[in-house]
Amino acid sequence: MVVVVSALLAQVQQPPVSQAPPPDTEVFLARLTTDGGRLTVGDPKNISNSPGYDNQPSFSPNGASLYFTSARGEMSPGGRRQMDIYRFDVKSQRVVPVTRTPESEYSATVTPDGRHVSVIRVEGDGAQRLWKFTTEGQEPSLVLIDIKPVGYHAWLDANTLALFVLGEPATLQIADTRTGTAVVAAKDIGRSLQRMPGGGVSYVQRGGGADTRTLTIWRVSVEHGKPVTSPITEAAPGATDEFVAWTPDGALLMAAAGKLYAWRRGDTQWAVIADLDALGLKGVTRLAINPTGNLMALVAQGAASK
């Protein structure tokens, strides 16, 4: 089965470079339970609870914290909210600010050393480059000086990154922090870059012609110093967005058409594991799974809180 996406959807603007106001979204947290290989999703709780854009959730390696981007800063002269990184503490249930800068930061990801968060920073001149802060939001420094505009990223190892680099088309680039250089591994990719259990990073390859689009999940790794790509599976039925997440034991999750789907290697088709509409979650896009696989963050429209 091939998932078809309209040409209009292929042209959806990709934050943070879009000039349109960011969508009004919230970050929800739900229990994820595995019983006999079957996944079930508990009642979601709104953990961001803030008007405007709350998005791009990412768990810390120990699962104690969830980082996300939020529009809680000052309003710019152009009528846009400042974007900063916030952290939700799972135990205390508190949200605390991590960055408070004149620039905007997006897509916080704890670095392999565990002492920093890497972010996409929109600089004063509009350049989008990869930066890092301490986990408390201190000591900002550039990770890759010459590579821009970077939209999204994922760490392959302590020195290697998979990057979504904006352009026509957007490209998947594999960058080395030691040399500051990158090579193109794929073209016309989606925005979802996810570390995979067992190694490698998944990405979504777009295909099709001018009137139709297909979405296929692929894997990229580095072997003998060179990027190697291979297909994994077609996207969930009805999927029009490219966001996926992996559980620690290798299940691939994807939201589509008001449902949450799961797929494992060897499966012939995706299985519905939750009715997102029934849970009060509309328009679910990004997903994140904690390291133990028992909590899931979901980004949705609407503010239902349980």
Side-chain angles (χ1 to χ4, degrees), residues 66-85:
L66 178 72
Y67 292 87
F68 64 96
T69 303
S70 186
R72 305 182 188 208
E74 296 295 326
M75 189 78 75
S76 72
R80 294 173 63 83
R81 285 284 181 188
Q82 175 70 30
M83 297 289 180
D84 285 298
I85 304 302

Side-chain angles (χ1 to χ4, degrees), residues 126-144:
Q128 292 181 205
R129 293 189 289 179
L130 188 69
W131 289 67
K132 69 178 181 179
F133 292 75
T134 66
T135 54
E136 299 303 318
Q138 304 299 312
E139 302 173 15
S141 63
L142 267 168
V143 177
L144 297 166

Side-chain angles (χ1 to χ4, degrees), residues 2-38:
V2 175
V3 179
V4 179
V5 183
S6 71
L8 288 177
L9 287 167
Q11 299 170 8
V12 170
Q13 292 186 349
Q14 299 144 353
V17 296
S18 169
Q19 296 304 306
D24 189 351
T25 50
E26 297 282 356
V27 180
F28 294 80
L29 203 60
R31 284 284 170 188
L32 191 60
T33 304
T34 304
D35 185 7
R38 178 174 175 78

Side-chain angles (χ1 to χ4, degrees), residues 174 185 201 203 218-224 226-230:
I174 304 302
V201 165
Y203 66 97
W218 283 60
R219 176 181 183 267
V220 63
S221 60
V222 175
E223 299 178 15
H224 307 295
K226 296 181 179 181
V228 176
T229 62
S230 57

Side-chain angles (χ1 to χ4, degrees), residues 73-203:
E74 296 295 326
M75 189 78 75
S76 72
R80 294 173 63 83
R81 285 284 181 188
Q82 175 70 30
M83 297 289 180
D84 285 298
I85 304 302
Y86 285 76
R87 185 178 66 240
F88 173 77
D89 183 85
V90 175
K91 184 176 181 179
S92 70
Q93 302 285 289
R94 292 177 59 246
V95 172
V96 297
V98 177
T99 64
R100 283 184 172 175
T101 71
E103 300 80 14
S104 284
E105 287 87 30
Y106 296 80
S107 300
T109 304
V110 176
T111 58
D113 66 11
R115 301 193 303 270
H116 300 85
V117 287
S118 50
V119 302
I120 307 302
R121 194 178 204 185
V122 182
E123 300 167 26
D125 62 357
Q128 292 181 205
R129 293 189 289 179
L130 188 69
W131 289 67
K132 69 178 181 179
F133 292 75
T134 66
T135 54
E136 299 303 318
Q138 304 299 312
E139 302 173 15
S141 63
L142 267 168
V143 177
L144 297 166
I145 296 173
D146 297 322
I147 302 174
K148 58 184 177 180
V150 180
Y152 304 91
H153 71 291
W155 291 89
L156 280 156
D157 59 39
N159 301 303
T160 314
L161 287 141
L163 305 174
F164 174 102
V165 179
L166 292 121
E168 294 294 337
T171 55
L172 170 67
Q173 298 189 23
I174 304 302
D176 189 323
T177 60
R178 295 163 296 190
T179 64
T181 60
V183 295
V184 175
K187 297 180 179 180
D188 197 9
I189 69 163
R191 295 166 288 170
S192 183
L193 300 176
Q194 298 291 328
R195 285 282 304 269
M196 296 177 62
V201 165
S202 68
Y203 66 97

